[in-house]
Amino acid sequence: MNSTDKQPVKAPTRRSRAVAAKRSAILAAALEYFSQFGIHGTSLDKVAERADVSKTNLLYYFPSKEELYIAVLKDLLDVWLAPLRALRADQHPLEAIRHYIRLKLEVSRDYPQASRLFCMEMLQGAPLLKAELAGDLRHLVEDKAAIIEQWVREGKLAEVQPHHLIFMLWATTQHYADFATQVEAVTGRTLSDEAFFNQTVENVQKMVIEGIRVR
Amino acid sequence: MNSTDKQPVKAPTRRSRAVAAKRSAILAAALEYFSQFGIHGTSLDKVAERADVSKTNLLYYFPSKEELYIAVLKDLLDVWLAPLRALRADQHPLEAIRHYIRLKLEVSRDYPQASRLFCMEMLQGAPLLKAELAGDLRHLVEDKAAIIEQWVREGKLAEVQPHHLIFMLWATTQHYADFATQVEAVTGRTLSDEAFFNQTVENVQKMVIEGIRVR
DNA sequence: GTCTATAATATGATAGAC
DNA sequence: GTCTATCATATTATAGAC
């Protein structure tokens, strides 16, 4: 969580613990609303109500709606990127990608709101993430793309352009969170259904892996 | 376009043509805003301004913001589903899917806003498309899933569950519209760049096709 | 830190003239 | 069909007491 450790670390007092708890209650409530209705469709009233604080009090912790929104986004980016960070050159290529797919689908199952808020922000042109996108994210992707490229050069993966493979991994795994409504409308199941989750992991892994296996 | 042919068809007069033109100018302006900012982030003022009509006048054509939003969504659904409708049992399986990928990426290139609005609606739980999702869309998907299942049974495709293949097709092709900001941040290119478009089609086709080819 | 006003404004929608 | 008010409301944010 980025937004809770801006301050220098001190021994947590009773008060500071209470304050931290309130902050995170607000952040959690905000995520619920923002991820469904977006920043414009969400009122501070509702967020405050769900977090069980007064609106004025909320504005004491986060000086404006936009700052609250940004705090939520920042907290979320780490969760969202964790699976990609875990991809390392010393792993067996196909196993690494197999593992990535599972991790990312776990994120889609366990943090669907994070995935959706991220998606929503992207749809709007990511006005509040532009900086991250151009900086950190881009470098992270460059790193991982280089690893994939290396695997391709060594003949361990079929000839694909790394960026497109990364996009395919993102797209196929996010889809089960972002389009959960549609997935449920069509299949009648959700990722919380364990059997459906496993079947999803297997199908996605199989299709992706066979698509990039060398023969 | 659904929303323009609710009325019984008559010989178009000068007036009716002018009215139709105004309606579609409003719809186009609305799509631009809705697809970026969502229904809540969009004001009728802005839409009216872009469509070059007064706000009151806009409300004469569409009695409320929500009805305008729904009209836009309906117009869009056909465009969005056209590629899937084109999938037919009498085609060569891999060629059919290859073709689908191209068509859908063309939609992502030519109607990115439609794709994004659809995505945004889905993120919110599709409150205004629930009916369509449960009805028409579900049946369409069932039809196409049956075709795919048949291909699998005949040994023309690898063993995959049709729904997951359909999701993969949707996800990988939509991604280039919905996450265009991220795609551009990472690659520096967009689908309007012809070389990048072709390279995208080839990569997606290759990865998907190899992933479901029978060996 | 938390509360009670209250300011300031944006915006969806209507009334009624022309 | 189009316009000029105008209403009604929701909602962000602040001032100032405690």
Side-chain angles (χ1 to χ4, degrees), chain A residues 23-71:
Chain A
R23 272 186 68 94
S24 66
I26 294 170
L27 286 168
L31 174 57
E32 285 201 38
Y33 279 101
F34 285 152
S35 68
Q36 186 171 2
F37 304 106
I39 184 171
H40 302 292
T42 297
S43 74
L44 293 181
D45 259 327
K46 299 266 189 193
V47 175
E49 190 188 2
R50 167 142 322 183
D52 210 34
V53 296
S54 72
K55 184 167 64 165
T56 344
N57 199 204
L58 185 159
L59 282 163
Y60 169 77
Y61 284 93
F62 299 91
S64 76
K65 189 189 196 179
E66 190 169 296
E67 294 202 38
L68 172 58
Y69 184 78
I70 293 175

Side-chain angles (χ1 to χ4, degrees), chain B residues 20-21 31-32 34 48-49 63 65 70 76 96 109 112 118-119 121 126 133 141 148 152 156 175 190 193 200 205 209:
Chain B
L31 174 58
E32 286 201 38
F34 285 151
E49 190 188 2
K65 191 188 193 178
I70 292 174
L76 178 154
R109 179 193 60 192
F118 192 72
C119 181
E121 179 63 14
L133 286 186
V141 172
I148 292 172
V152 171
K156 294 176 177 170
H175 190 262
T190 71
D193 175 335
T200 301
Q205 284 180 338
I209 297 293

